[in-house]
Amino acid sequence: MDKEQYLDLFYQMVLIRRVEERAAELYQQGKIGGFLHLYIGQEAVSTGLISARLPQDRVITAYRDHGVAINCGIPANIVIAELLGKATGCSQGKGGSMHMADVSKNFWGGHAIVGAHLPLASGLALGDKYAGKDGVTICMFGDGATNIGYFHEAVNLSKVWDLPVLWVCENNLYGMGTAVERASAVSEIRQKAEGYGIPNERVEGMNVLEVRDAAAKALDYCRSGKGPFFLEITTYRYRGHSMGDPERYRKAEEVKKWQETDPIGIYHHYLTSNTIALEAELDALEAKVADEVQAAVAFAESSPEPGPEALFENVYVEKGTSIQVNK
Amino acid sequence: MPKITMREAISQALWEEMERDPKVFVLGEEVGVWGGTYAVTKGFYDHFGAERVRDTPIAEAAIIGAAIGAAMTGLRPVAELMTINFAFSAMDHIVNEAAKLHYMFAGQFVLPLVIRTVGGGGRQLGATHSQTPDAIFAHFPGLKVVAPGTPEDAKGLLKSAIRSDDPVLFIEHATMYQVRGEVPEGEYTIPIGQSKIQRPGKDVTIVAYSKGLELSMKAADQLAQEGVEAEIVDLRSLRPLDMGPVYESFKKTNRAVIVEEGWKSFGVGAEVAARIYEDCFDYLDAPIQRVAQKEVPLPYNRTLEQMALPQVEDVIKAVKEVL
């Protein structure tokens, strides 16, 4: 990795953190509707993981998707515009927080039904294998998703058909408010991959470089045609499951303890103590992010709402069908 | 025109589309080595190979989910659900993913996906394997729901479904695979979303589809002997629902009977009747009649099962009510 790449990881993590903090404010101001699931605390997972992918690698994730969207290359202003339901958002205001995608950046969404996107990931990988392409599908999901049937159907199929899927479980210790050990028969989620004969690894997810290294190796494995690989990445979310979570299931001390291993703080220390970057350079990046987020919010707030014609667009591809069914 | 069975018609459509477009492939339970539990894909595995005729685990969410994912990459999967009763195990993927992704992501990608499945009762398979829940699926915007009643329509509509960039649920009827009918020679397609007059008449309009069409055609033959000329409109697809030919017929006959195999409550007949009342009220000479299944889980016993299913006599009786 050259210096620019090291700095870029820092920049991406800080950008996600600041976008999420602004999103929380905008939500409290009533400018964002529906649910809002913040990625604060988990930035190193998606940043490290996606930094290791090649352009032909597809990414698909669950509803906690703003950070993933940014890592995949969707600009912050487009992410915030989607949160505000604007026509300039990546899903033109029709998807919202949980349904962001940009296919041109090989980001296949933001899917809000827990575990339901895992079979889709098998299908995306099947598409590449069928077409003889060497892309890997990176499928991210939470620990909670490993208890639903879709997980088992999809993971089993990926092994039976030797599909190039990198399964990535972000184990943040809670499925909503239920602790892993209260919901999953095994609290080390990677053991579930063992049951399907899929090679696997458990990685510390607060260190972006460790995640990146593990992801690079896992992607190489999948790309070599050997079939799926399973990564369990342990992490922690600092905010509630979504806005309005009373957080009765955990103590403030626990959150505080994890905040001492803040992924951005760890990486900041790594960069400065190894003289990869100067304190002043990182400060400058922080300032750049602050400006970018401010401009992004201004862009989103001044963007137009979708027009009424958008209501009936994209229900069907075939012209006239939407009109026919709405007659 | 050659006369072939419904099974042959569906099989031919699938075979021809796979020959025409290498992006078309099939996946499902027992579609390959076994040849399909209703033998629609018999011979496909040997001809097209294991990559394009993919046997799956018994895992409906994985079948439909993987088909959706493959369609997102530009392939044209034809996923077979052994029966429509098993679609409930994949309900989330059909209604929450297939029907919505194109809209929710503002048209960034298309889902050229066909789900072929088999519905209907009458084979003594018991309550869990005999349902006709077509209306449930027709409820969801974003899906197209096709249910042919003749071999000609089955072949032409399946070809259109495979070529469509929209997700299509294609419902075949379990007792109609041996139904024979004339099919045009050579290449043809039938557009999805066009109802068709299957039998002209002037005295009463019978609206039907799939198994309901078969019952109605038989009823119309008997009614003709009594001097009643029924006009039969075959919906062919439930979504989009083409009411044009229904209205045209109704404005001529002023009387309507709707025949479906599913339950009456919240069903296809309810929808069609409501639309006739809304749009053709001034043409109405009698309350519209609905012929449908008795509202019970379908029993195994042959006599009880037939008591629950709509019969030709029920259609005749309903027609006489509206005359």
Side-chain angles (χ1 to χ4, degrees):
Chain A
M1 259 174 49
D2 59 25
K3 181 174 176 179
E4 200 179 321
Q5 287 173 302
Y6 277 111
L7 289 180
D8 187 50
L9 295 182
F10 182 79
Y11 161 77
Q12 286 185 48
M13 287 200 289
V14 174
L15 180 60
I16 293 170
R17 176 78 49 103
R18 301 294 168 250
V19 164
E20 295 292 59
E21 286 167 352
R22 271 319 298 274
E25 290 170 19
L26 292 165
Y27 190 86
Q28 277 150 354
Q29 291 164 11
K31 290 178 179 169
I32 296 174
F35 294 141
L36 185 72
H37 309 86
L38 302 177
Y39 203 57
I40 295 173
Q42 300 182 210
E43 294 93 340
V45 179
S46 173
T47 303
L49 181 67
I50 292 167
S51 76
R53 77 160 172 169
L54 298 179
Q56 65 267 37
D57 296 338
R58 304 171 193 270
V59 175
I60 185 166
T61 189
Y63 47 83
R64 199 178 301 282
D65 62 349
H66 317 157
V68 182
I70 286 169
N71 293 135
C72 285
I74 303 181
N77 58 346
I78 305 300
V79 169
I80 295 176
E82 186 60 34
L83 291 174
L84 267 55
K86 297 299 183 75
T88 52
C90 52
S91 301
Q92 296 176 24
K94 282 178 169 172
S97 164
M98 302 192 287
H99 307 117
M100 298 195 180
D102 186 340
V103 170
S104 73
K105 295 179 167 60
N106 238 341
F107 176 45
W108 295 83
H111 296 263
I113 303 290
V114 171
H117 66 293
L118 276 73
L120 271 57
S122 291
L124 291 170
L126 172 62
D128 284 334
K129 187 173 171 157
Y130 188 97
K133 295 176 183 163
D134 74 341
V136 177
T137 295
I138 301 169
C139 180
M140 305 167 71
F141 48 91
D143 45 277
T146 69
N147 302 319
I148 197 164
Y150 306 143
F151 168 87
H152 299 274
E153 292 194 23
V155 168
N156 179 62
L157 190 71
S158 75
K159 181 62 181 175
V160 170
W161 287 354
D162 278 333
L163 300 174
V165 188
L166 173 54
W167 301 110
V168 181
C169 175
E170 291 189 79
N171 183 353
N172 67 10
L173 309 184
Y174 295 92
M176 287 192 73
T178 306
V180 170
E181 58 275 14
R182 292 175 61 215
S184 175
V186 290
S187 51
E188 207 172 280
I189 303 294
R190 58 152 212 93
Q191 288 179 272
K192 293 182 181 177
E194 291 284 334
Y196 295 101
I198 296 175
N200 56 83
E201 194 185 354
R202 192 173 208 237
V203 186
E204 158 64 52
M206 299 313 243
N207 186 318
V208 68
L209 295 177
E210 278 181 34
V211 174
R212 183 184 155 93
D213 285 350
K217 283 185 205 127
L219 286 167
D220 281 348
Y221 177 90
C222 297
R223 208 180 310 284
S224 72
K226 290 177 189 154
F229 193 93
F230 192 101
L231 270 183
E232 176 185 2
I233 305 182
T234 55
T235 184
Y236 197 81
R237 63 170 157 71
Y238 295 161
R239 299 294 182 96
H241 165 75
S242 60
M243 298 296 286
D245 171 359
E247 297 191 56
R248 289 191 195 99
Y249 51 87
R250 63 183 186 184
K251 293 193 163 65
E253 299 86 72
E254 180 184 302
V255 180
K256 210 174 153 214
K257 186 172 149 271
W258 277 93
Q259 281 171 334
E260 287 161 15
T261 60
D262 179 60
I264 295 174
I266 290 173
Y267 193 53
H268 187 285
H269 178 73
Y270 176 87
L271 292 176
T272 51
S273 62
N274 288 287
T275 60
I276 295 166
L278 299 171
E279 188 97 23
E281 288 174 305
L282 300 183
D283 288 349
L285 275 180
E286 292 257 15
K288 183 185 159 198
V289 166
D291 290 346
E292 188 177 340
V293 173
Q294 195 175 352
V297 174
F299 168 86
E301 293 204 296
S302 63
S303 284
E305 299 274 336
E309 73 286 351
L311 182 63
F312 295 110
E313 279 171 2
N314 301 131
V315 182
Y316 293 93
V317 179
E318 196 181 310
K319 283 198 170 53
T321 307
S322 183
I323 294 160
Q324 191 181 353
V325 301
N326 279 293
K327 252 199 296 211
Chain B
M1 289 201 289
K3 255 189 159 181
I4 62 171
T5 64
M6 189 78 99
R7 175 183 287 111
E8 288 163 339
I10 295 164
S11 187
Q12 282 180 12
L14 201 48
W15 184 283
E16 289 171 19
E17 290 305 296
M18 286 182 74
E19 288 283 13
R20 193 184 63 82
D21 184 353
K23 288 183 169 166
V24 179
F25 72 101
V26 301
L27 71 165
E29 294 154 8
E30 309 299 353
V31 296
V33 177
W34 187 299
T37 45
Y38 287 90
V40 168
T41 52
K42 195 174 161 194
F44 280 52
Y45 186 84
D46 289 339
H47 184 76
F48 293 106
E51 284 296 309
R52 296 186 67 197
V53 185
R54 306 186 75 95
D55 282 319
T56 65
I58 302 170
E60 283 79 12
I63 295 168
I64 302 305
I68 292 167
M72 287 160 79
T73 73
L75 298 183
R76 295 188 168 274
V78 181
E80 180 175 316
L81 288 173
M82 196 182 288
T83 89
I84 200 165
N85 306 280
F86 307 164
F88 300 129
S89 294
M91 200 65 178
D92 184 55
H93 287 87
I94 297 170
V95 308
N96 261 333
E97 309 289 334
K100 293 180 175 56
L101 294 185
H102 182 67
Y103 187 83
M104 210 161 60
F105 295 121
Q108 289 190 50
F109 51 83
V110 298
L111 286 174
L113 159 74
V114 177
I115 301 169
R116 274 190 50 241
T117 191
V118 184
R123 297 185 66 233
Q124 285 194 270
L125 296 173
T128 60
H129 279 58
S130 305
Q131 297 171 95
T132 310
D134 311 350
I136 293 176
F137 296 94
H139 191 60
F140 293 97
L143 278 184
K144 290 179 176 174
V145 178
V146 177
T150 68
E152 178 183 2
D153 288 343
K155 184 172 179 182
L157 286 165
L158 182 55
K159 284 184 158 235
S160 291
I162 292 170
R163 296 181 195 185
S164 168
D165 280 339
D166 294 309
V168 180
L169 181 69
F170 191 88
I171 306 172
E172 301 156 19
H173 196 283
T175 66
M176 293 176 75
Y177 282 113
Q178 299 294 358
V179 168
R180 298 181 82 83
E182 288 187 343
V183 169
E185 276 180 86
E187 171 69 24
Y188 73 98
T189 60
I190 293 171
I192 295 171
Q194 292 185 3
S195 299
K196 183 187 178 187
I197 307 286
Q198 296 282 17
R199 179 189 174 113
K202 58 178 175 40
D203 299 323
V204 58
T205 300
I206 302 178
V207 184
Y209 74 97
S210 186
K211 187 71 177 179
L213 177 68
E214 188 184 296
L215 299 176
S216 302
M217 293 296 268
K218 286 177 183 165
D221 283 345
Q222 293 187 34
L223 286 163
Q225 291 170 11
E226 301 176 33
V228 176
E229 292 301 329
E231 180 151 281
I232 300 178
V233 186
D234 180 3
L235 297 173
R236 301 198 292 188
S237 67
L238 302 181
R239 183 179 274 271
L241 184 61
D242 176 24
M243 291 298 290
V246 176
Y247 294 162
E248 214 172 295
S249 176
F250 185 75
K251 286 176 183 175
K252 187 170 66 182
T253 65
N254 313 108
R255 293 165 168 84
V257 169
I258 305 150
V259 185
E260 65 188 307
E261 192 189 286
W263 294 301
K264 189 184 282 184
S265 299
F266 312 100
V268 174
E271 179 62 33
V272 170
R275 292 195 191 204
I276 295 172
Y277 283 123
E278 282 169 353
D279 294 337
C280 304
F281 189 74
D282 291 343
Y283 294 87
L284 195 70
D285 277 356
I288 296 166
Q289 290 288 312
R290 289 180 282 162
V291 176
Q293 188 176 143
K294 303 287 183 300
E295 309 231 352
V296 296
L298 216 56
Y300 162 73
N301 175 276
R302 171 116 191 115
T303 308
L304 292 179
E305 184 186 36
Q306 290 303 318
M307 276 172 69
L309 289 169
Q311 305 291 335
V312 174
E313 297 71 44
D314 299 323
V315 180
I316 292 169
K317 190 164 163 256
V319 166
K320 288 181 177 170
E321 284 284 327
V322 301
L323 284 177

